[in-house]
Amino acid sequence: TSIISTKWRCLFSSISTIEFDHCLLSGLTDRNVDSFKNFVDRLLKFPDQVSLDCFRLSDGISSWNDEDHDFDVSGWICAALCRGVKEIDLQLDNLGDAPPVLFTCHSLVKLTLEGKGSKLEVPPDVCLGNLKTLWLEHWVLFGDSIHRLISNCHVLQDLAFIEFSVANAREVNIQIPSLKSLVLDFFFPTGHSKYVVVINAPNLVYFRYDSVTVEGYSLSNMKSLEKAEICFWFDSSNYETSATHLFQGICNVRSLRLTIHEVIPLTSRIPIFHNLIEFEFYGRESLLVEFLHCTPNLKTLTVKFQVVAETQWKVLHMKVPSCLSLHLKEIRILNFKGDTRMFEMISYFWDNAMVLEKLIIRVNAMTATHESKAHNQLLRLLKSSKKCLIVIL
């Protein structure tokens, strides 16, 4: 209590960060809970007491308001916003709706909100004119709430929707000239993925998409894109062409991580990735072969197969992707299991990767005897190497 006396007040005229978590609450005894609440109220609510840069509830507040405690957490959040706070990081799992004032605070530069699958209410007068980073996790947005929110963030650079649900909407429309990083990790109702994703972000550098394929994609002005991470599965076989449209939108990328869970083949032609030099692939063998023919300047390849049972690698010698012959310098195989198809694949790469400098093979899910046998087979297969470095892990 001596801290809030006039003698010590000058020490708290400017505070960079205030952070609350469950560890702080667990350290309070019943006798000093009231003193703690009074201190925080005085620190945040009294005029001319403190300027604040960051306010954070980092471990959730489910344990803050129970039958033994009555903390005015919502009031503290509003008070922090009135202090001209620049960064807010909240886990609102037991607070209810996000305070509407969060969406009209002109001082905010970074806003992170984590909910528990509840509806996120975006007020009609939302305006976050100085916000550069917006991270929303575990929320449900209805109707045009997404468009209303992001269209009023005029200088936004980093936008992330993590484990997000979209309801009662036909379009996810993101048109932000200043945007540099975008993460779309969406959940759509099963069997109701008739959405259209529209992105116009001419300065976008990083893009991650993790969701089902939807009815349509319109990605334009992506010439600044350097890295993309795409992970999707098919909710309907009718959307194979849509997936190809997504690839067309990111075909200028230099680094791509691609995960395709399903066994549905892409019937439309994959675009040529002229700038792609780093490619991580997690999926079916046949799709990998298709993509290698569309990456003429590839230098680094990382593969992890979900199914190893379909491609006859020896047959592919008649049509070798140009990247293998001219540019590919490093190959990483992450889940080598010692079966015949794996040896065929390595042999195929070894015979056709003419400028290869490093081959890394990670042995996975084997008994000690099986692993030793696989090591010996690999060494016999690769013993002719004089220039390429072989690493077996």
Side-chain angles (χ1 to χ4, degrees):
T1 55
S2 63
I3 291 178
I4 57 178
S5 68
T6 303
K7 179 179 179 181
W8 293 95
R9 190 178 303 167
C10 61
L11 294 178
F12 292 89
S13 60
S14 179
I15 293 179
S16 174
T17 301
I18 294 180
E19 179 173 351
F20 299 107
D21 60 32
H22 69 280
C23 295
L24 175 62
L25 182 61
S26 64
L28 296 176
T29 64
D30 292 338
R31 187 175 64 177
N32 59 22
V33 164
D34 288 338
S35 294
F36 171 74
K37 290 193 293 185
N38 290 336
F39 165 67
V40 177
D41 285 341
R42 190 175 184 88
L43 189 66
L44 290 174
K45 297 181 180 181
F46 282 28
D48 303 323
Q49 289 294 302
V50 62
S51 61
L52 188 63
D53 289 334
C54 176
F55 183 81
R56 182 179 298 123
L57 291 169
S58 61
D59 287 315
I61 55 175
S62 59
S63 60
W64 282 71
N65 287 324
D66 53 29
E67 59 184 16
D68 298 320
H69 304 95
D70 184 22
F71 293 96
D72 185 17
V73 178
S74 182
W76 292 350
I77 294 172
C78 293
L81 292 168
C82 293
R83 294 290 178 189
V85 68
K86 296 180 180 178
E87 178 180 346
I88 289 281
D89 186 346
L90 305 175
Q91 294 184 352
L92 302 176
D93 54 326
N94 198 41
L95 187 62
D97 296 335
V101 70
L102 278 171
F103 302 103
T104 58
C105 181
H106 296 285
S107 65
L108 273 180
V109 176
K110 182 177 181 179
L111 176 59
T112 302
L113 296 178
E114 181 178 345
K116 284 293 183 181
S118 55
K119 181 179 179 180
L120 181 62
E121 296 285 353
V122 179
D125 59 342
V126 56
C127 183
L128 295 165
N130 293 307
L131 195 70
K132 293 184 178 180
T133 299
L134 177 60
W135 185 288
L136 301 176
E137 185 171 354
H138 296 297
W139 292 100
V140 179
L141 276 180
F142 284 78
D144 63 347
S145 294
I146 291 181
H147 177 71
R148 184 165 68 247
L149 176 59
I150 63 179
S151 63
N152 287 283
C153 301
H154 304 296
V155 296
L156 201 61
Q157 296 182 5
D158 301 298
L159 175 61
F161 294 104
I162 304 296
E163 297 188 20
F164 224 78
S165 294
V166 180
N168 298 334
R170 285 285 294 116
E171 184 177 85
V172 177
N173 194 326
I174 299 172
Q175 302 198 44
I176 309 175
S178 58
L179 199 63
K180 295 181 179 180
S181 175
L182 175 61
V183 177
L184 298 180
D185 184 348
F186 279 127
F187 286 103
F188 296 99
T190 303
H192 297 278
S193 54
K194 292 185 177 182
Y195 293 81
V196 176
V197 175
V198 179
I199 301 173
N200 186 348
N203 292 299
L204 196 67
V205 176
Y206 172 76
F207 176 49
R208 178 160 71 90
Y209 181 85
D210 190 341
S211 185
V212 297
T213 54
V214 295
E215 187 174 32
Y217 296 93
S218 176
L219 281 62
S220 57
N221 293 326
M222 305 280 271
K223 294 182 179 180
S224 298
L225 193 65
E226 295 183 5
K227 184 174 183 178
E229 299 181 19
I230 307 297
C231 175
F232 57 45
W233 56 96
F234 293 91
D235 187 44
S236 169
S237 60
N238 297 326
Y239 297 156
E240 298 164 30
T241 303
S242 297
T244 304
H245 290 163
L246 175 61
F247 294 137
Q248 291 172 344
I250 64 169
C251 64
N252 289 310
V253 73
R254 294 173 57 84
S255 175
L256 173 63
R257 174 183 290 180
L258 176 63
T259 304
I260 301 181
H261 292 289
E262 308 298 330
V263 297
I264 300 176
L266 297 178
T267 56
S268 300
R269 181 175 176 80
I270 299 172
I272 304 299
F273 289 77
H274 290 284
N275 299 327
L276 193 67
I277 59 175
E278 297 179 358
F279 184 33
E280 296 183 37
F281 178 83
Y282 304 84
R284 298 168 57 224
E285 296 172 81
S286 59
L287 279 178
L288 172 62
V289 177
E290 291 185 49
F291 271 95
L292 288 180
H293 283 287
C294 299
T295 57
N297 298 302
L298 191 66
K299 293 183 179 180
T300 301
L301 172 65
T302 301
V303 296
K304 183 176 181 180
F305 294 127
Q306 296 174 342
V307 178
V308 183
E310 55 191 47
T311 301
Q312 295 289 338
W313 290 94
K314 292 181 179 180
V315 176
L316 299 175
H317 283 259
M318 297 295 293
K319 190 178 181 181
V320 179
S322 61
C323 63
L324 287 181
S325 303
L326 301 175
H327 299 290
L328 197 61
K329 294 184 177 181
E330 182 174 321
I331 298 175
R332 303 170 186 168
I333 300 172
L334 300 185
N335 62 335
F336 179 81
K337 298 180 180 180
D339 54 88
T340 302
R341 293 296 178 84
M342 281 285 194
F343 281 109
E344 288 182 1
M345 177 189 66
I346 293 173
S347 179
Y348 172 77
F349 283 143
W350 186 248
D351 291 339
N352 295 287
M354 306 305 294
V355 295
L356 193 64
E357 296 178 358
K358 182 182 290 187
L359 176 60
I360 301 173
I361 301 171
R362 183 177 295 277
V363 177
N364 185 40
M366 291 186 186
T367 64
T369 301
H370 193 188
E371 183 173 337
S372 177
K373 181 179 179 181
H375 271 252
N376 292 333
Q377 287 180 276
L378 286 171
L379 291 174
R380 286 197 299 270
L381 180 65
L382 305 174
K383 66 181 180 180
S384 61
S385 171
K386 295 181 180 180
K387 183 178 179 180
C388 180
L389 175 64
I390 311 301
V391 180
I392 303 174
L393 302 175

